[in-house]
Amino acid sequence: MIWFYHIPGIRKSALKATAFLFAVFVLSFLAAENVQAQKKFSKTYPAGKNIRLQLTNRTGTITVRGWDRKSVQISAVLEKPIANITPKNLSGTILIDVVRDNKGRNDVGEVNFTVYVPYESAVDIETRIGNLIVASIQGGLVRAHISSEGDITLTNIGAASVSAKNVIGDIFYDGVFQPNGIYRFYSMQGNVNLRIPLRSSFRLVATAPSTRSISLGSFSNASMRFVGKGRRVVGKVGAGSASVTVTNQQGSISLLRR
Amino acid sequence: MNCQNCQNLISEYVDGELSDSESRSFRIHLSICSECAKLAGDFAEIVGFCEENFAEDSTPPNSQALWCRINNIIEAEIEESEVVDEVPVEKAGRSFFGGPLSLSVGQVLASVVLIAVVSSLLTIVGFKNFSAPDDGLAGFEAEPSVFEKVLAKLGVGETPADRAERRLKERKSAIEYWSQRVAKRRVEWDTGTRVTFDRNMDVIDRAVKQYTILLQENPQDEISTEMLDSALNEKMELLREFSEL
């Protein structure tokens, strides 16, 4: 550009302005390209209290949050190659199955979902690869399964039945154990952390065979027994009404006071 | 869905006859009930094995004629039994009680001894369970019970070791089947999917190897048996779910 300055009749300020405009043009072009590589999807369904969300994804993050509205709002950002999504509302069940909707396709891009559901909803989500996040759900069920790797984060959960499973990745549960509830947490490799109120009542079977790292924290009591040379802990906290099974094949297990 | 409903629907599920919602409820129940999950897994493996191995033999060359022959045989047997029923009771042989029962003295004595032995064993098992800690968590590392051992020696039941071995074989055959499916599909996957799959499979394989070695050193180790079973189950699930991609 320096040689431009030496052309007679062209002022330096004009050259600077032209260069600036050119840069703005290039940047906006690149941004537009980036936006075109994505597609956004959004749909809202009216919902009663006992709605059920069943979402199966191939690759990507699923975030589900409870809210104080009688509707289900589904938003998704689809990366190229754009996946097909055909949600269905079957008498109280919102069904989205990205695996089934794209069967036979070899090129399907990542889909990142954000779904808002009423607090009392049942949530059943799974993905082949990616993270799962569920927050503020007080319904009957929370099921979050990852076929391979990804983190599972469940916060402010009050469901009576919870199942979280992955192969590689951390599992974090922050919620309560309902009386007679069933809670299952399973990972092959990662850390499993359960943050629960001190006055919880549950029967525990926690197994960490490789690391033998099972930390009971404030929940340690006389009924807790280490068996199998420290690979498993069994015992009760309180009356022991809920059933909690935690297995981490090659990682640690920690119980934290909420 | 409870266990009874789930077990009633296993056959329909394996045959793919359930609706989407029923199928989903069924799978949810399986994810939280290991007993039903094992039952469903066993059933699916049996059906899969039969489909693979007996598909060609299942249809006889002339099925209508075969059914006619079977009907004739059944009818002939029914007619014979009706004739036998008409024989007077007095001619049916001498019974121990003098009534219509046709048991010999030896049979009655053998029955009494058998009942006594079974009752004793049940009492021992009951006493053992009664004296165990009442926390519902005992028995994770328990040896096979006396009753189970006796049944196994009689060839009636199977010991936990036999059961574990049988399950191991079933899992391995299922894994072989899904591995073949994945091998066909993986050429179509993108690099990211392939790398992720291999990394996860590697973690599972390492766990399988670790527990296999531990079980060779101590075959009675129940935690290792359980973990191996669970790791193989994970492997099967990973293969099955990625075979759909």
Side-chain angles (χ1 to χ4, degrees):
Chain A
M1 290 280 284
I2 302 298
W3 60 273
F4 269 113
Y5 294 133
H6 303 293
I7 299 172
I10 297 179
R11 296 175 71 173
K12 279 186 184 177
S13 57
L15 279 170
K16 279 182 184 172
T18 311
F20 175 75
L21 285 174
F22 180 72
V24 168
F25 173 76
V26 169
L27 284 173
S28 54
F29 179 77
L30 288 174
E33 272 289 294
N34 197 30
V35 169
Q36 279 183 353
Q38 290 182 340
K39 191 181 166 190
K40 286 188 178 173
F41 171 91
S42 184
K43 196 152 192 171
T44 303
Y45 293 96
K49 274 192 172 180
N50 296 320
I51 197 85
R52 187 184 187 92
L53 172 73
Q54 294 175 356
L55 203 170
T56 304
N57 198 6
R58 277 174 72 122
T59 316
T61 299
I62 302 175
T63 305
V64 180
R65 293 186 193 282
W67 69 357
D68 193 15
R69 291 188 199 176
K70 288 182 179 175
S71 61
V72 174
Q73 188 189 79
I74 304 162
S75 311
V77 178
L78 296 85
E79 303 289 342
K80 270 191 170 179
I82 304 296
N84 298 321
I85 305 178
T86 50
K88 288 172 188 161
N89 186 359
L90 305 168
S91 56
T93 299
I94 307 290
L95 189 67
I96 307 164
D97 193 337
V98 181
V99 174
R100 194 189 53 196
D101 291 345
N102 295 277
K103 205 157 194 170
R105 279 183 64 183
N106 302 322
D107 53 341
V108 179
E110 210 171 281
V111 184
N112 297 305
F113 283 97
T114 303
V115 186
Y116 286 91
V117 295
Y119 291 126
E120 303 83 3
S121 306
V123 174
D124 174 6
I125 53 174
E126 63 178 79
T127 184
R128 300 292 172 257
I129 307 166
N131 299 331
L132 300 178
I133 300 159
V134 182
S136 305
I137 296 296
Q138 313 293 321
L141 167 86
V142 171
R143 179 179 173 271
H145 283 197
I146 302 171
S147 309
S148 61
E149 65 190 52
D151 296 334
I152 300 173
T153 309
L154 311 175
T155 51
N156 192 19
I157 305 296
S161 176
V162 174
S163 174
K165 194 168 97 164
N166 63 10
V167 177
I168 301 174
D170 296 339
I171 297 176
F172 177 69
Y173 177 82
D174 179 6
V176 297
F177 293 152
Q178 298 288 1
N180 302 314
I182 298 171
Y183 301 86
R184 302 267 183 272
F185 304 95
Y186 183 97
S187 179
M188 287 294 297
Q189 185 178 286
N191 298 308
V192 180
N193 295 309
L194 310 180
R195 191 165 166 264
I196 48 172
L198 185 63
R199 288 191 176 181
S200 300
S201 163
F202 58 95
R203 297 186 305 282
L204 175 72
V205 180
T207 315
S210 289
T211 62
R212 298 170 199 224
S213 171
I214 304 172
S215 166
L216 299 172
S218 307
F219 300 95
S220 181
N221 63 40
S223 84
M224 292 290 182
R225 293 184 285 129
F226 277 84
V227 295
K229 296 174 186 169
R231 291 175 293 169
R232 172 176 279 168
V233 172
V234 292
K236 270 184 191 176
V237 172
S241 58
S243 164
V244 180
T245 309
V246 192
T247 306
N248 196 350
Q249 295 253 13
Q250 293 170 43
S252 65
I253 297 168
S254 298
L255 266 64
L256 310 164
R257 182 182 166 175
R258 198 180 188 193
Chain B
M1 180 177 285
N2 60 27
C3 290
Q4 198 182 349
N5 292 342
C6 176
Q7 286 167 16
N8 288 340
L9 292 174
I10 286 176
S11 178
E12 284 87 343
Y13 177 75
V14 170
D15 293 338
E17 290 170 358
L18 292 184
S19 67
D20 278 352
S21 61
E22 282 177 327
S23 181
R24 176 66 63 157
S25 305
F26 184 87
R27 281 205 299 274
I28 289 167
H29 182 77
L30 293 194
S31 71
I32 57 172
C33 177
S34 58
E35 199 180 326
C36 290
K38 282 177 184 171
L39 202 61
D42 291 348
F43 198 85
E45 281 159 18
I46 291 165
V47 171
F49 181 80
C50 292
E51 279 174 357
E52 278 181 17
N53 295 283
F54 305 117
E56 289 174 7
D57 306 331
S58 59
T59 315
N62 190 347
S63 57
Q64 211 171 350
L66 185 67
W67 276 113
C68 279
R69 283 177 62 194
I70 291 167
N71 272 335
N72 289 340
I73 291 166
I74 292 167
E75 279 168 12
E77 282 181 1
I78 290 168
E79 280 167 14
E80 275 176 22
S81 66
E82 280 169 356
V83 171
V84 170
D85 287 346
E86 286 165 10
V87 175
V89 174
E90 289 79 13
K91 290 184 182 178
R94 188 181 170 235
S95 76
F96 180 75
F97 300 104
L101 287 171
S102 56
L103 290 176
S104 68
V105 178
Q107 284 173 324
V108 169
L109 284 175
S111 306
V112 168
V113 170
L114 187 67
I115 289 166
V117 169
V118 170
S119 316
S120 311
L121 288 172
L122 286 174
T123 310
I124 291 165
V125 171
F127 181 74
K128 208 176 159 186
N129 288 341
F130 182 74
S131 56
D134 185 27
D135 57 4
L137 300 164
F140 281 108
E141 294 202 310
E143 290 278 308
S145 66
V146 178
F147 191 56
E148 283 172 334
K149 281 179 182 170
V150 170
L151 286 179
K153 288 207 170 182
L154 291 171
V156 179
E158 59 178 3
T159 61
D162 291 340
R163 196 160 49 239
E165 200 176 333
R166 178 177 55 81
R167 286 188 59 77
L168 190 67
K169 279 182 187 168
E170 287 168 358
R171 290 259 187 270
K172 282 182 175 168
S173 73
I175 285 168
E176 203 176 320
Y177 169 75
W178 290 111
S179 295
Q180 286 168 4
R181 294 277 297 267
V182 165
K184 283 180 193 165
R185 286 294 306 153
R186 67 173 285 140
V187 287
E188 310 286 348
W189 295 345
D190 59 68
T191 314
T193 306
R194 265 201 297 272
V195 168
T196 307
F197 174 81
D198 290 342
R199 187 166 46 234
N200 283 266
M201 190 52 79
D202 186 48
V203 168
I204 296 173
D205 281 338
R206 267 190 281 136
V208 169
K209 195 176 173 185
Q210 180 191 344
Y211 298 121
T212 307
I213 292 168
L214 285 172
L215 282 171
Q216 280 166 356
E217 290 166 3
N218 180 12
Q220 298 298 323
D221 183 359
E222 284 211 1
I223 290 181
S224 292
T225 307
E226 199 184 299
M227 291 299 115
L228 176 63
D229 188 54
S230 154
L232 289 170
N233 191 48
E234 276 305 301
K235 185 170 180 171
M236 194 173 74
E237 294 244 316
L238 183 70
L239 286 162
R240 186 175 61 76
E241 287 173 356
F242 271 72
S243 73
E244 293 173 353
L245 299 182

